Amino acid sequence: MIQSSPSLLPLPERVRDLPTLAGNLWWSWNRDARALFKEIDPLTWRRTRHNAIEVLHRADQARLTACASNPSFLDRYDRALAALAHALDRGPTWFHQHHGQLSNHTIAYFCAEFGLHNSVPIYSGGLGILAGDHCKTASDLGVPLVGVGLLYTRGYFDQRVGPDGWQQDADEVLDLAITPLVRVLAASGDPLSVTVRTFDRDVHVGAWRLSVGSVPIFLLDTDLEQNEPDDRQLTHRLYSGGTDLRLRQEWLLGVGGVRLLRALDIHPSAWHANEGHSSFMLVERLRESIVAGLGWDDAIESTRATSVFTTHTPVEAGHDEFSHDELTACVGPVWEKLGVDREQFLDLGRSPENRDVFHMTATAIRLSAAVNGVSQLHGQVTRHMWRGLWPERDEAAIPIGHVTNGVHLATWMAVELMPVLDEVMGSGWDARRDEPDLWDRVLDVEPARLWAVHCELKRRLLAYVREEARQRWRTQWPESARVVGAGVLLNPEAFTIGFARRFATYKRADLMFSDPDRLRKILTDPRQPVQIIFAGKAHPADEAGKQIIQDVYGFASDPAFEGRVTFLEDYEMHLAHRL
């Protein structure tokens, strides 16, 4: 991440709307728009990890002038602008065609992280990537979605791995000038803020708007002058610090997010809590209903009727829970505003397995009419995990469903593959991707053509890994073992397995090394070579996760594996966009 950025140069009149394209992350999944910014300055495009705004900030005036007189550039520019205008018009979309009577309604989507693009590093892994894809797809379909999250101005911490294999955390500050974030203003023109009370004092919460096609995402920010120094740091980092900070962040997300939408005169008809981090959004709406005059039971039913909850984690360690004392210290006597006693309030979050903690997932399940896992199998696992909430029901009858995870095709499909599909499926196939027989045409792709694209993409991936290793060897690493373990010996012909996840212990990154002798035979088989690439970070406070990194790094540096295990120090979920 860059600390500072140059000012944007005056643009030629013919391409004056380039900042409009760069200011909406829609460009990141549009072929013409991506090619447009790459063409302005390919080297800067690569060095900035495909940051369209930074490309414009660093562009040479002569180059911009040349682009403004280049017919092919202008043709692509005009197509991109027309496509953006079409994307922002919900009229011809799937949602309008099938649910036009609901077009004036809004769905609020709360999540602790959104993985949208490298230039906005407010994500750490799968939850954020799913949330980002969810918002992009909602835009494509015309679903009237509004996202709510937190702005982590220090991102999800940087790391380096020292010579001893231990993770070293680094502090990087996000330069908002090279992001598409726009400060949310009140009618007066001043920055808008709402107030959330926590630990016996008011915290002022501002917001930034991030445009993702037709979907706005509002990111909450406590780094405001009117806040106490400690409170200004509350939204600095994602998943950082101990449980007290995590609790305060989740309280700010839930309560502050609801109050922000009210301040913006946005009144959702449905509210979606994506994972238990967002459960306090449901509690705040419960409070609103009681303040409006409903009794406890009626307020719960009213909240449930318009609430959806998605759970992602199939193991207990991945669910947030807080002691009753921690919760009380953070939120204060909120039960008084709810018209109940402390125990009745705490009952919202009691888990069947542990009644002495406030469990965020249990809270969300109790306050949501619809609950789902993220695959058919995960739905089964979740019903088993939470069967204690319905002790009188058979497990198969527990009202927890599933919606199988998908990915946003335009984001994750390699640009090099798209022209191959154009040839057999026709141009514009991505707008017809739900036609039942469209994908049958994939069988008409020449296998050799498909394999050639695959090999080229793999070659570029390994070239990237080797270049990263070369740079670190030149600037940081005196030991040859570290160079070997960083990927310089990767074989472009070998079957490659990737692990790109946080090094939380429950994700079991070290499972592959439980039988080193067997693994060594697999990796070093000359007839069927296999290699593994690891990329990930451990939570700064997770010493067990850091120990796993050290163990995996030790295997990566072991000459016995012949350089077949690689550890990348940078964790970039959007690695494909960087190549």
Side-chain angles (χ1 to χ4, degrees):
M1 288 177 280
I2 311 291
Q3 295 294 329
S4 60
S5 59
S7 299
L8 185 63
L9 293 171
L11 292 172
E13 179 66 20
R14 183 63 177 84
V15 292
R16 65 181 181 183
D17 287 325
L18 280 173
T20 300
L21 284 172
N24 190 317
L25 283 179
W26 167 90
W27 69 260
S28 68
W29 72 88
N30 177 269
R31 276 192 267 178
D32 280 325
R34 288 206 306 240
L36 199 68
F37 293 111
K38 180 179 180 179
E39 186 175 345
I40 292 173
D41 188 342
L43 182 59
T44 300
W45 173 255
R46 180 169 61 85
R47 286 180 172 175
T48 63
R49 301 176 181 179
H50 299 189
N51 185 331
I53 289 179
E54 194 170 359
V55 166
L56 291 182
H57 275 273
R58 296 181 179 275
D60 178 80
Q61 186 71 63
R63 179 59 188 152
L64 291 171
T65 301
C67 289
S69 60
N70 182 324
S72 65
F73 183 92
L74 294 177
D75 183 54
R76 180 173 283 139
Y77 168 79
D78 291 338
R79 288 201 309 269
L81 280 178
L84 175 59
H86 182 77
L88 298 179
D89 179 8
R90 288 177 172 166
T93 61
W94 171 89
F95 187 86
H96 182 79
Q97 293 171 6
H98 292 82
H99 304 285
Q101 73 279 12
L102 300 176
S103 295
N104 293 327
H105 294 257
T106 301
I107 303 165
Y109 184 73
F110 279 61
C111 190
E113 52 175 298
F114 288 88
L116 297 154
H117 190 262
N118 294 323
S119 59
V120 190
I122 56 171
Y123 58 95
S124 76
L127 176 67
I129 297 302
L130 180 139
D133 283 9
H134 195 92
C135 293
K136 293 173 182 178
T137 302
S139 174
D140 291 343
L141 296 175
V143 176
L145 193 75
V146 173
V148 180
L150 297 176
L151 175 63
Y152 306 103
T153 52
R154 303 298 190 273
Y156 183 61
F157 67 94
D158 258 357
Q159 75 167 14
R160 289 291 180 267
V161 178
D164 57 359
W166 281 102
Q167 174 177 296
Q168 300 168 352
D169 306 328
D171 190 21
E172 298 285 347
V173 179
L174 179 64
D175 179 8
L176 297 178
I178 55 173
T179 73
L181 292 161
V182 178
R183 174 79 77 176
V184 177
L185 303 179
S188 64
D190 296 323
L192 180 106
S193 68
V194 296
T195 302
V196 177
R197 191 161 186 82
T198 176
F199 280 90
D200 293 325
R201 63 175 179 264
D202 288 338
V203 175
H204 299 274
V205 183
W208 299 77
R209 177 184 171 123
L210 182 62
S211 295
V212 183
S214 62
V215 171
I217 298 179
F218 296 101
L219 301 175
L220 309 181
D221 176 21
T222 64
D223 197 356
L224 308 177
E225 291 182 359
Q226 56 265 51
N227 283 332
E228 297 289 333
D230 288 346
D231 295 336
R232 296 186 66 166
Q233 301 177 35
L234 289 176
T235 57
H236 277 183
R237 286 201 174 280
L238 169 63
Y239 303 151
S240 184
T243 58
D244 57 335
L245 177 57
R246 175 79 70 92
L247 174 57
R248 294 183 75 181
Q249 287 182 334
E250 295 182 7
W251 181 246
L252 290 168
L253 171 62
V255 178
V258 173
R259 293 179 183 179
L260 175 74
L261 294 182
R262 302 305 190 200
L264 293 171
D265 200 26
I266 297 174
H267 302 285
S269 300
W271 302 73
H272 190 156
N274 194 37
E275 195 56 284
H277 313 307
S278 307
S279 297
F280 288 130
M281 171 267 286
L282 303 163
V283 174
E284 170 63 7
R285 290 172 47 236
L286 179 63
R287 184 199 65 79
E288 287 184 331
S289 295
I290 290 173
V291 170
L294 292 182
W296 175 254
D297 292 337
D298 289 339
I300 288 178
E301 287 306 309
S302 176
T303 301
R304 293 187 77 251
T306 53
S307 301
V308 177
F309 173 57
T310 296
T311 177
H312 295 251
T313 310
V315 293
E316 284 293 340
H319 295 265
D320 284 343
E321 59 184 32
F322 305 103
S323 73
H324 291 164
D325 288 343
E326 287 175 324
L327 179 71
T328 301
C330 176
V331 309
V334 67
W335 51 86
E336 295 177 359
K337 298 177 182 178
L338 297 172
V340 296
D341 59 32
R342 181 176 182 270
E343 290 304 305
Q344 194 170 356
F345 168 67
L346 294 176
D347 281 344
L348 284 176
R350 293 191 196 274
S351 164
E353 285 72 33
N354 186 354
R355 296 182 56 80
D356 295 328
V357 299
F358 192 90
H359 202 293
M360 298 296 280
T361 299
T363 304
I365 291 175
R366 287 191 174 99
L367 292 177
S368 299
V371 180
N372 65 272
V374 290
S375 71
Q376 184 176 28
L377 179 59
H378 183 231
Q380 296 171 6
V381 171
T382 304
R383 285 189 291 275
H384 179 75
M385 286 179 64
W386 294 101
R387 64 193 184 280
L389 293 179
W390 292 273
E392 74 288 352
R393 295 197 183 197
D394 291 336
E395 191 170 300
I398 289 174
I400 296 176
H402 74 274
V403 178
T404 299
N405 273 353
V407 299
H408 184 250
L409 195 62
T411 293
W412 293 104
M413 180 177 284
V415 174
E416 291 76 9
L417 183 59
M418 292 180 177
V420 177
L421 298 184
D422 289 344
E423 294 174 8
V424 298
M425 299 165 67
S427 61
W429 58 264
D430 50 332
R432 297 179 283 110
R433 57 184 174 269
D434 292 328
E435 293 180 5
D437 60 346
L438 178 68
W439 292 100
D440 291 341
R441 302 181 196 174
V442 171
L443 299 177
D444 296 331
V445 175
E446 287 292 333
R449 180 83 189 279
L450 195 62
W451 184 249
V453 172
H454 167 79
C455 291
E456 171 60 17
L457 293 173
K458 186 174 182 181
R459 182 195 67 77
R460 289 169 58 190
L461 169 64
L462 298 187
Y464 165 80
V465 173
R466 286 193 293 269
E467 177 62 17
E468 288 289 295
R470 187 184 73 84
Q471 291 291 344
R472 285 177 172 76
W473 170 72
R474 183 174 62 85
T475 60
Q476 301 174 33
W477 298 340
E479 306 89 354
S480 60
R482 297 192 70 190
V483 181
V484 170
V488 294
L489 298 184
L490 285 173
N491 179 1
E493 304 299 326
F495 179 75
T496 304
I497 300 171
F499 182 99
R501 311 183 75 188
R502 280 190 299 124
F503 275 78
T505 50
Y506 71 88
K507 296 181 185 288
R508 305 169 77 188
D510 54 349
L511 185 62
M512 280 186 270
F513 302 100
S514 57
D515 188 342
D517 293 335
R518 179 171 180 266
L519 180 63
R520 185 177 294 108
K521 291 179 182 179
I522 294 173
L523 296 182
T524 59
D525 184 342
R527 295 183 180 274
Q528 296 176 309
V530 177
Q531 57 198 8
I532 306 172
I533 298 177
F534 285 88
K537 302 176 183 178
H539 187 290
D542 184 2
E543 294 302 324
K546 291 183 178 181
Q547 179 65 57
I548 292 177
I549 286 181
Q550 187 185 43
D551 293 342
V552 171
Y553 195 82
F555 282 107
S557 304
D558 186 345
F561 287 104
E562 298 183 4
R564 296 288 176 80
V565 181
T566 294
F567 194 105
L568 300 184
E569 293 188 357
D570 287 334
Y571 183 49
E572 295 290 351
M573 288 299 299
H574 282 199
L575 181 62
H577 278 173
R578 297 176 54 186
L579 301 178

